[in-house]
Amino acid sequence: MFLSTHAKHFQMSIHPDQRYLEGLLQNDTLLVQEIYQRFAGKIKHHILQHQGTEDDAADIFQESIIDVYHQAKHKQLQLTCPFEPFFLLICKRKWLNELKKRGRQPVTKRLDDLYDVGEDVFAAAEQVVKEEAQAGMYLAQFERLGEKCREILRLSLTGEAQEKIAAAMGVTYGYLRKKKSECMATLLSYIQAQKI
């Protein structure tokens, strides 16, 4: 019960990664360097994989740092989740918007729709906090599943064709579909029990 109430009201404690925001606000060179060292490579990889260049990656990274700085300075942003998923989301969102402007974006995936809040990055940040709270609860329930169920659901989330997943696991396509459906039903029942 505590978990669902906790998730509903999002009264979460400040995450230790708040130090990154403090570092940006205080222009702490070491912390700013740490942000670049830890996250620039991931952003560059993502953008290169999604129709971008190294220059695009550098621009998006820099613009996102500035956005986070402004949120911390003018909107007193406080992190209740790790900095990494929060920051990566801002960068990915910004790149998605850039691709849309360039007219090179394929069909938007459902996850992106959740964060379709235009250029208002602070709204996206608030959404991340809510999603992180839910994700923590979902992950806890996911871990309750048996090993086979977890494997099936993980592989299904990769976007790989179900037939290939079945072959890789040494099961029939029909079995995989049935088992995946059972696993999802079990996971949903665990999640619903937490929300009551």
Side-chain angles (χ1 to χ4, degrees):
M1 186 62 194
F2 170 75
L3 184 59
S4 61
T5 304
H6 188 65
K8 275 181 196 163
H9 296 103
F10 306 113
Q11 295 170 341
M12 298 180 285
S13 58
I14 303 305
H15 194 278
D17 282 359
Q18 179 72 17
R19 68 191 182 92
Y20 289 118
L21 302 190
E22 301 300 330
L24 288 172
L25 287 172
Q26 295 161 15
N27 199 20
D28 181 325
T29 311
L30 287 177
L31 267 176
V32 173
Q33 281 178 348
E34 185 181 335
I35 292 171
Y36 275 87
Q37 287 167 350
R38 286 192 61 193
F39 310 116
K42 291 177 184 179
I43 299 308
K44 178 178 162 185
H45 176 75
H46 175 79
I47 290 176
L48 290 176
Q49 293 291 311
H50 293 86
Q51 307 170 332
T53 65
E54 289 192 14
D55 286 343
D56 291 329
D59 290 345
I60 292 294
F61 192 90
Q62 190 60 40
E63 289 170 23
S64 298
I65 288 277
I66 292 167
D67 285 344
V68 171
Y69 171 82
H70 285 300
Q71 288 175 39
K73 182 168 180 155
H74 302 297
K75 301 191 179 181
Q76 289 75 50
L77 173 67
Q78 295 190 315
L79 282 182
T80 54
C81 63
F83 181 77
E84 182 173 355
F86 164 75
F87 186 67
L88 296 182
L89 173 70
I90 291 173
C91 293
K92 289 176 181 180
R93 183 79 224 147
K94 193 172 276 295
W95 180 239
L96 181 67
N97 286 337
E98 181 59 32
L99 284 176
K100 283 180 178 176
K101 282 182 202 164
R102 296 180 187 182
R104 287 164 51 191
Q105 175 57 28
V107 177
T108 305
K109 293 189 172 82
R110 190 189 69 77
L111 179 65
D112 295 322
D113 291 340
L114 290 173
Y115 302 107
D116 198 2
V117 291
E119 291 296 328
D120 187 353
V121 182
F122 188 65
E126 289 176 335
Q127 188 66 31
V128 169
V129 171
K130 293 175 184 176
E131 294 295 323
E132 282 289 320
Q134 286 183 329
M137 188 265 288
Y138 291 146
L139 186 60
Q141 302 317 312
F142 180 79
E143 292 301 325
R144 290 176 60 191
L145 294 171
E147 190 176 332
K148 194 77 164 177
C149 271
R150 291 199 307 266
E151 183 183 9
I152 287 172
L153 294 180
R154 271 195 200 104
L155 289 172
S156 296
L157 289 172
T158 64
E160 188 68 64
Q162 299 294 304
E163 293 86 348
K164 286 188 178 177
I165 294 172
M169 293 183 71
V171 298
T172 66
Y173 174 68
Y175 172 84
L176 178 72
R177 285 191 53 163
K178 182 173 184 287
K179 189 69 178 166
K180 179 183 169 188
S181 178
E182 289 171 1
C183 294
M184 281 303 296
T186 303
L187 179 59
L188 289 172
S189 71
Y190 289 165
I191 290 168
Q192 287 304 319
Q194 289 298 315
K195 289 184 174 179
I196 294 171

